[in-house]
Amino acid sequence: MPENQARLGRIDEQYRKELSQIIGYELKNPSITGLISVTKVKVTNDLKYAKVYVSILNPKNRKETLTGLKKASGFIRSELAKRVNLRNTPELIFELDDSLEYGAKIDTILKEIMPKKKD
């Protein structure tokens, strides 16, 4: 089985790169706002579904942006099929990944509580 896991890892990474490109440059949906980065893609063993974890920074409306991505998933999936040559292209499930935002929030808190160093 480790051989199959390695293959899935390569597929996950390939999808992550391609989805970043598609979402960043191909999508022309006004409801999708902010800086969207695909942080991780996890494909199921049967390659039928792919969970796409996205981080959305500075959106006008985070919920609307996520809904816009879900509505555009058909287009995104067809673009992905053109770029990645596999027998099946998985159905895309978008999930919000707020780990980057969480990290930025912790950074801000740490800067506030750490004593200022004098040179």
Side-chain angles (χ1 to χ4, degrees), residues 51-82:
K51 264 195 178 177
V52 181
Y53 294 91
V54 292
S55 175
I56 307 169
L57 297 173
N58 305 325
K60 287 182 186 151
N61 181 335
R62 177 171 275 111
K63 199 173 183 184
E64 196 178 283
T65 297
L66 197 58
T67 304
L69 280 173
K70 288 175 182 175
K71 284 183 179 166
S73 69
F75 167 77
I76 296 170
R77 189 177 177 198
S78 67
E79 283 297 307
L80 191 61
K82 291 176 194 168

Side-chain angles (χ1 to χ4, degrees), residues 19-27 36 38 54 69 76 94:
L19 286 167
S20 293
Q21 289 287 311
I22 294 166
I23 292 170
Y25 302 108
E26 309 287 327
L27 272 187
I36 300 171
V38 178
V54 292
L69 280 173
I76 296 170
F94 288 96

Side-chain angles (χ1 to χ4, degrees), residues 4-5 9 11 16 21 25 27 47-48 57 60 68 78 86-87 94 99 103:
N4 192 31
Q5 290 303 317
I11 292 171
R16 191 191 64 73
Q21 289 287 311
Y25 302 108
L27 272 187
L47 302 176
K48 291 207 185 312
L57 297 173
K60 287 182 186 151
S78 67
L86 286 175
R87 195 175 304 135
F94 288 96
S99 60

